[in-house]
Amino acid sequence: LVCLWTTTGQLLAAPTWRCQAPTAKELQDETPSTMVLCFRYCTRGLNPTLVASNVEHVYRVLELSGLKKDTWRLEVVTDNPLGLSALAEKGVDCAETLVPNYYKCPNGGKYKARAMHWAISNSAVKLQHTDWICHLDEETYFDRHSVCSIYQHCLRENAAVAAGVKAFPDMGQGTILYNTFGL
């Protein structure tokens, strides 16, 4: 019975597909903004090769997205030093924020929650109240379409708050697809 219920739900549920997002140039021409997107990886830092590889890939995607360089930042918040400054030799600009061993969250948060909490006040990337942070796992990849869709969402939410339509912007969470890189 459970199997039948699950299969029916998957067949009748709305499929996931990509809506066309405007290009970065269209978004920036249409709505000039000083908003910054910070793409922040949070990791324990136990696999520095994976993190460095993904950071380099994502940096290249951000460069190719069409967004102006001053509208995005890339940061890694980690429990263990990763030596990401070596990526600068490849032209990759990425801030590395190290969470000290002694740091304890006020309410006992651990792992990524602890890293994110530390970064709120101690990030190497300084942000304004209209800037946005996209938290990523160390395995996360995305493409130009994702970047433009995220940027569009943030612009819309900031505009709604500025117009007094809402007091706070809505956060976003898109569909997560696993093992789809290159497909």
Side-chain angles (χ1 to χ4, degrees), residues 31-65:
T31 313
S33 175
T34 58
M35 175 187 75
V36 171
L37 290 177
C38 177
F39 293 90
R40 179 181 287 163
Y41 281 93
C42 291
T43 177
R44 294 183 67 192
L46 301 178
N47 194 341
T49 305
L50 173 68
V51 175
S53 173
N54 287 354
V55 164
E56 184 176 1
H57 170 79
V58 165
Y59 187 86
R60 302 296 176 221
V61 169
L62 288 165
E63 283 184 316
L64 294 172
S65 72

Side-chain angles (χ1 to χ4, degrees), residues 32 40 46 53 71 74 115 117 121 141-142 157 168 174 180-182:
R40 179 181 287 163
L46 301 178
S53 173
T71 62
L74 189 55
H117 193 269
S121 300
Y141 270 54
F142 51 80
E157 292 301 311
F168 299 101
T180 61
F181 184 69

Side-chain angles (χ1 to χ4, degrees), residues 26-106:
E26 291 169 341
L27 288 167
Q28 291 174 331
D29 289 348
E30 174 184 316
T31 313
S33 175
T34 58
M35 175 187 75
V36 171
L37 290 177
C38 177
F39 293 90
R40 179 181 287 163
Y41 281 93
C42 291
T43 177
R44 294 183 67 192
L46 301 178
N47 194 341
T49 305
L50 173 68
V51 175
S53 173
N54 287 354
V55 164
E56 184 176 1
H57 170 79
V58 165
Y59 187 86
R60 302 296 176 221
V61 169
L62 288 165
E63 283 184 316
L64 294 172
S65 72
L67 287 179
K68 296 174 187 161
K69 175 65 176 97
D70 62 349
T71 62
W72 56 269
R73 305 285 182 278
L74 189 55
E75 177 184 30
V76 176
V77 180
T78 178
D79 290 332
N80 296 293
L82 296 169
L84 295 178
S85 57
L87 289 175
E89 297 171 11
K90 298 179 179 183
V92 175
D93 182 17
C94 177
E96 183 175 338
T97 300
L98 182 63
V99 182
N101 291 335
Y102 65 80
Y103 180 69
K104 301 236 184 291
C105 281

Side-chain angles (χ1 to χ4, degrees), residues 115-134:
M116 288 188 282
H117 193 269
W118 172 260
I120 289 171
S121 300
N122 301 285
S123 171
V125 177
K126 301 304 173 202
L127 301 171
Q128 304 302 313
H129 73 281
T130 57
D131 297 340
W132 287 71
I133 301 169
C134 296

